[in-house]
Amino acid sequence: MMRYIDPTFSLFGLEIAWYAVCILIGVVIAVIAGIKEGKKLGIPSDYIYWGVIIVLPCAIIGARLWYILFNLDQGWTFSKIIGLEGGLAGLAIQGGVIAALITICIYCYVRKISLYKILDIVAVGFLIGQICGRWGNFCNHELYGPVVENPNFLKLIPILGENMYINGAYRHPVFLYESCLNLVGLIILLILRRKYKNLQSGDLMGVYLVWYGMVRILTESLRLYGDPSDPLMIGVIPVSILFSVIFIIVGIVFLVVKRFVGPKNKYQDILAEIAQNKLDTIIFDLDGTLLDTRPLIDKSFIHTFEHFRPEHKLTDEELDSFFGPTLYQTFSRFSDNEEEIQEMIAYYREYNVANHDQMVKEMPGARQLLKDLHNKGYHLAVASSKKTDLVIHGLQITNLYEFMDAVVGADEVKNHKPAPDAIIKAIEMIKDKANASLNEYNNDLTKSNSFIRFLKKMLKKKPKPVEKIAYVGDTLNDMKAAKAANVKAIGCLYISHPEVMLNADVDYVIEKLSDIITICVE
């Protein structure tokens, strides 16, 4: 009995095309592969997700319009164009590729993303999509060639032969040839990006254009002897062959010209640099960084000065300067009397504690950021100039404490910021906890049999090492402390005078907390 595949199937009363399923499978695999390689290239997954959301519809529209452009004699109406009448039968992949590339260029320009890095990711994604998508042509019983003189190889795989028996004869499965050749192209790209030391960023797109152009010329030449009405034509010239030649020329020109124009970064160097700088541990300052305590701190200082120095009216510049130093360091600027300094500190803290819970709130996006980083296995801590109990209390009332591996306050170290003591102590505490977690992980695996051990390795995350560390802060003292501790310095620009961070020797600056995800390449 012939197992002839129906191009569509029903699911919950909906008519679904196998072609769409094949395309969707290709997109999903391409996105997963793109995210994995994107992390290695320093491209955050959010950029890829949004890129797919924007580029994919444009590619579909481009493929549809390309098909319509070379079939103008079919009496197109708006309802037919958008698929309300007759469905979306008729998509030309070359139009989709062209539309996708144009959209990608615009997207990278707007988002200020490296175009070459994205093109390298997309080149692999295109081939994955085309490998899977061609099986949609199989389900539609299209993209076939001339009659096969000896169909024995088709009969070896019954479902293939039975569905290539078209118009009373066995036909060459051109869809299969193209899918397999694209698979070979994919393997070539994967080998190039890992083994070829002179591969430059962006080269994979040039190789893709050349390879796909050659493959398409070959398959279209066979396709001409299949269904004569199938290929798109410009007069007597097949559109796909013409533009395949153009793809090859553009690919070669791109590979040559980019060696003289634009950045010349080697692919392997980019991978090595990203791997070397990839963070695994992030330590935060508290006030002004994770928690919005500025109104409370300002009022606490004003309240204290009204009592001890009523004649002194604090300026905005003075209030700004109080952020970062300890209370002792701040009040020592206004008094030489040790007893009075302690009284000022106590008076400040009494007011601060009394009003703390009503006035303190998390910085926008703080909880979501910490939750995301925690779920991804990052080590998180706070190193603050406040007393430890106040730090913990502030984290608890804002529901941030649960994500912390360590909390270090000013009362736990001898020297305060800009000295690195608090950061160094936090690192030591994190390492102790990480080592304990790693020992527990290894012991758990040791006690399991080989199959269970395999499952646990697949399902349970191995604890990250504590090697690549960054400190996030909002003051110059924070950045000095980070440098003194020999860790990466991340400066916040959401402060009164962001030029402080722009002029400081920092490794990164962030305009909002969620930007840390970009730095972590997640």
Side-chain angles (χ1 to χ4, degrees), residues 252-370:
I252 293 172
V253 171
F254 177 73
L255 288 170
V256 173
V257 171
K258 71 184 290 296
R259 274 154 175 75
F260 300 95
V261 179
K264 302 172 185 63
N265 300 318
K266 290 187 177 181
Y267 199 95
Q268 296 297 326
D269 292 344
I270 295 173
L271 294 178
E273 181 183 356
I274 296 300
Q276 183 179 1
N277 295 325
K278 189 171 177 61
L279 300 174
D280 51 60
T281 304
I282 305 176
I283 305 172
F284 296 87
D285 171 52
L286 186 70
D287 293 334
T289 302
L290 280 181
L291 298 186
D292 184 7
T293 55
R294 182 60 188 261
L296 173 64
I297 291 174
D298 284 351
K299 287 191 175 182
S300 298
F301 276 118
I302 292 171
H303 177 75
T304 303
F305 272 78
E306 285 176 347
H307 180 77
F308 288 92
R309 297 288 187 274
E311 74 286 354
H312 186 97
K313 300 301 179 183
L314 291 172
T315 64
D316 290 340
E317 289 73 17
E318 285 176 318
L319 289 171
D320 287 340
S321 71
F322 296 164
F323 253 69
T326 63
L327 292 176
Y328 185 87
Q329 291 170 331
T330 297
F331 291 128
S332 295
R333 293 163 50 187
F334 298 91
S335 177
D336 296 326
N337 187 312
E338 185 68 25
E339 182 178 348
E340 185 183 39
I341 292 172
Q342 294 301 327
E343 289 177 358
M344 295 174 80
I345 292 173
Y347 196 82
Y348 172 97
R349 283 180 174 158
E350 180 182 5
Y351 181 88
N352 189 280
V353 170
N355 295 276
H356 184 278
D357 294 2
Q358 292 75 36
M359 297 185 66
V360 170
K361 58 183 179 179
E362 68 171 84
M363 283 291 186
R367 178 172 173 78
Q368 187 61 52
L369 169 71
L370 296 180

Side-chain angles (χ1 to χ4, degrees), residues 376-389:
K376 294 177 185 296
Y378 285 84
H379 306 292
L380 305 174
V382 167
S384 173
S385 296
K386 294 174 72 170
K387 289 183 64 178
T388 304
D389 59 342

Side-chain angles (χ1 to χ4, degrees), residues 2-64:
M2 297 287 283
R3 288 174 291 181
Y4 202 69
I5 295 177
D6 192 322
T8 63
F9 65 97
S10 295
L11 182 66
F12 304 118
L14 297 175
E15 194 82 358
I16 299 175
W18 281 111
Y19 186 88
V21 173
C22 292
I23 292 291
L24 181 60
I25 291 172
V27 169
V28 171
I29 297 174
V31 171
I32 293 172
I35 289 171
K36 185 175 181 180
E37 189 67 13
K39 290 182 179 180
K40 296 177 182 178
L41 290 171
I43 304 295
S45 55
D46 282 357
Y47 286 7
I48 295 177
Y49 285 133
W50 279 109
V52 171
I53 291 171
I54 294 170
V55 172
L56 184 58
C58 294
I60 294 173
I61 292 171
R64 181 62 167 169

Side-chain angles (χ1 to χ4, degrees), residues 34 43 47 53 114 167 327 393 429 431 452 469 509 513:
I43 304 295
Y47 286 7
I53 291 171
S114 169
N167 296 331
L327 292 176
H393 181 68
M429 294 171 67
K431 284 184 175 180
I452 299 298
I469 306 162
V509 291
L513 277 172

